[in-house]
Amino acid sequence: MAATDRQPAPAGRSPRQRARRRRAIQYIVLALILALAAYMADWPTIGHTFFDPALIVNTAVHGLWRALWNTLVYSAGGFVIGLAAGTLLALMRLSEVAPYRWLATLYIEFFRGLPALIVFIALSLLPLAFQGLAIPFSPYGTVWAALGIVGSAYMAETIRAGILAVPRGQIESARSLGLTPAQTLRQITLPQAFRLMIPPLTNELIMLIKDSSLVFIVGLSAADFDLTKFGRAAANNHVNITPLVVAGLGYLIITLPLSLLVRRMEARAAAGRPA
């Protein structure tokens, strides 16, 4: 067919216009859903039950900051134990000795497959199974141990991946300069691996902060309450959900800055990565 016989293409929307139209439809649908929810909501009841101003003040004054501090202490202790145990497990997984690899794999798969709640229950009942056994610094020691066990199973795989990401040539160069395997690990491999692992390890810390809410399994005095336990007790006393909402905001005070930090570190790492 000659070029002069061709018909002009029908005028239509460009891909950019079609994408803009799809976005507009999605915004409209979202706005309709929100408007419908706002219309159907019982605002006076929601305000009284979830956001009672007097109870917000009462909760903030009576024990909230102590519970917030306890949550930080529980999470930090569990993270330190989990990091130390996770590093050891990662090295065992990379060991040339097969039984070490088997033991580390068994531990990691076992505790990654168990809910954290079961680990808390098992540890809290351990003194009943072994007469005379007392976990030091309880209840803090029990919570630290439970969070450390759960966290180490996840951190071990993160740390192992970080170690494997260190270029092999740097390790061989260090060995050729006369460093022993232990010196190479301590001075070359681990510092670089941990630099790579900061974002995923920060995510693990956020997970441990949320898992610390399982501390209610352990018998606690009011002074040892974490945010969730504190919020539940206050909500029961006042027959109102507002203290639990305030406790949830307490978690956000801790986790949101950490999440922002992770995003910034990931963005910086992506910017420094070669294209």
Side-chain angles (χ1 to χ4, degrees):
M1 182 180 296
T4 53
D5 297 334
R6 291 176 183 167
Q7 297 297 321
R13 293 186 177 87
S14 66
R16 191 172 181 177
Q17 288 174 322
R18 287 198 294 269
R20 193 180 301 162
R21 187 183 180 193
R22 283 197 298 271
R23 281 198 301 272
I25 293 173
Q26 291 170 6
Y27 282 127
I28 291 171
V29 170
L30 179 61
L32 288 174
I33 292 173
L34 292 176
L36 181 64
Y39 174 75
M40 295 177 65
D42 183 353
W43 291 109
T45 302
I46 290 175
H48 170 72
T49 307
F50 294 92
F51 305 103
D52 187 330
L55 270 182
I56 291 175
V57 174
N58 182 281
T59 305
V61 171
H62 296 99
L64 174 67
W65 302 112
R66 177 69 185 180
L68 187 65
W69 172 252
N70 285 337
T71 299
L72 284 171
V73 172
Y74 291 141
S75 307
F79 183 76
V80 170
I81 293 175
L83 185 62
T87 304
L88 179 62
L89 288 166
L91 295 177
M92 289 173 66
R93 281 269 282 165
L94 296 170
S95 172
E96 296 176 351
V97 182
Y100 284 162
R101 293 200 303 273
W102 298 339
L103 285 173
T105 303
L106 181 65
Y107 177 97
I108 291 168
E109 297 303 329
F110 182 77
F111 283 107
R112 284 205 309 178
L114 277 183
L117 177 64
I118 292 180
V119 178
F120 269 84
I121 292 173
L123 272 181
S124 63
L125 296 179
L126 204 58
L128 299 178
F130 298 92
Q131 294 296 324
L133 175 68
I135 298 177
F137 307 111
S138 287
Y140 289 92
T142 304
V143 179
W144 289 340
L147 290 177
I149 289 171
V150 174
S152 64
Y154 289 93
M155 289 187 215
E157 289 300 90
T158 301
I159 296 169
R160 185 172 72 92
I163 292 174
L164 290 175
V166 176
R168 187 72 187 168
Q170 295 192 20
I171 299 172
E172 292 171 352
S173 299
R175 297 298 305 277
S176 66
L177 291 173
L179 270 65
T180 64
Q183 288 174 324
T184 303
L185 179 70
R186 192 174 62 253
Q187 298 178 16
I188 304 296
T189 308
L190 285 182
Q192 293 191 61
F194 274 105
R195 200 172 302 128
L196 296 171
M197 291 181 296
I198 289 175
L201 286 179
T202 308
N203 279 328
E204 297 291 347
L205 174 59
I206 293 173
M207 294 301 296
L208 286 183
I209 290 169
K210 291 189 285 187
D211 282 344
S212 69
S213 63
L214 298 172
V215 72
F216 71 89
I217 296 295
V218 183
L220 296 174
S221 64
D224 299 323
F225 282 178
D226 72 309
L227 280 170
T228 301
K229 179 73 174 172
F230 168 76
R232 288 178 60 187
N236 290 336
N237 289 338
H238 297 285
V239 196
N240 193 291
I241 305 299
T242 301
L244 270 177
V245 175
V246 176
L249 292 175
Y251 281 105
L252 293 179
I253 290 173
I254 304 173
T255 56
L256 281 183
L258 289 173
S259 298
L260 292 175
L261 180 64
V262 171
R263 288 183 186 174
R264 290 194 63 177
M265 287 189 293
E266 288 175 341
R268 185 176 298 179
R273 206 172 292 139

